[in-house]
């Protein structure tokens, strides 16, 4: 799988959407904010903006991994 690192200043959701658009991304993967002691009921401002405006399917990962991935499933169409 080819990937590249893109560093872009500015508002996070707008920068992610522009990077996805300029690279013709097939998938956007993001996590949720973890800065609250007891978690939160919503995914956060950036993820909510991505849900509304993403130019590619959005995968939101809610829980961090607890070790190495031993198996991986990748959907294709």
């Amino acid at each position: 799988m080819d990937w590249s690192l893109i560093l872009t200043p500015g508002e996070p959701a707008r920068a992610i959407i522009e990077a996805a658009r300029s690279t013709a991304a097939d998938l956007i993967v993001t996590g949720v904010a973890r800065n609250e002691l007891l978690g939160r009921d919503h995914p956060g401002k950036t993820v909510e903006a991505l849900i509304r405006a993403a130019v590619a399917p959005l995968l939101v990962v809610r829980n961090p991994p607890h070790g190495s991935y031993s198996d991986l499933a990748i959907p294709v169409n």
Side-chain angles (χ1 to χ4, degrees):
M1 179 181 307
D2 293 331
W3 64 274
S4 61
L5 175 65
I6 300 170
L7 300 174
T8 306
E11 192 273 321
R14 190 173 307 140
I16 292 167
I17 291 166
E18 182 54 38
R21 182 178 289 119
S22 69
T23 61
D26 294 319
L27 178 67
I28 300 170
V29 180
T30 185
V32 294
R34 293 283 180 202
N35 60 354
E36 296 179 11
L37 182 60
L38 299 176
R40 46 174 50 192
D41 294 332
H42 55 85
K45 184 172 70 170
T46 300
V47 173
E48 289 173 355
L50 289 173
I51 289 169
R52 287 191 293 279
V55 295
L58 180 67
L59 173 61
V60 180
V61 179
R62 294 188 57 86
N63 297 317
H66 298 289
S68 300
Y69 292 109
S70 59
D71 298 306
L72 182 65
I74 301 174
V76 296
N77 86 27

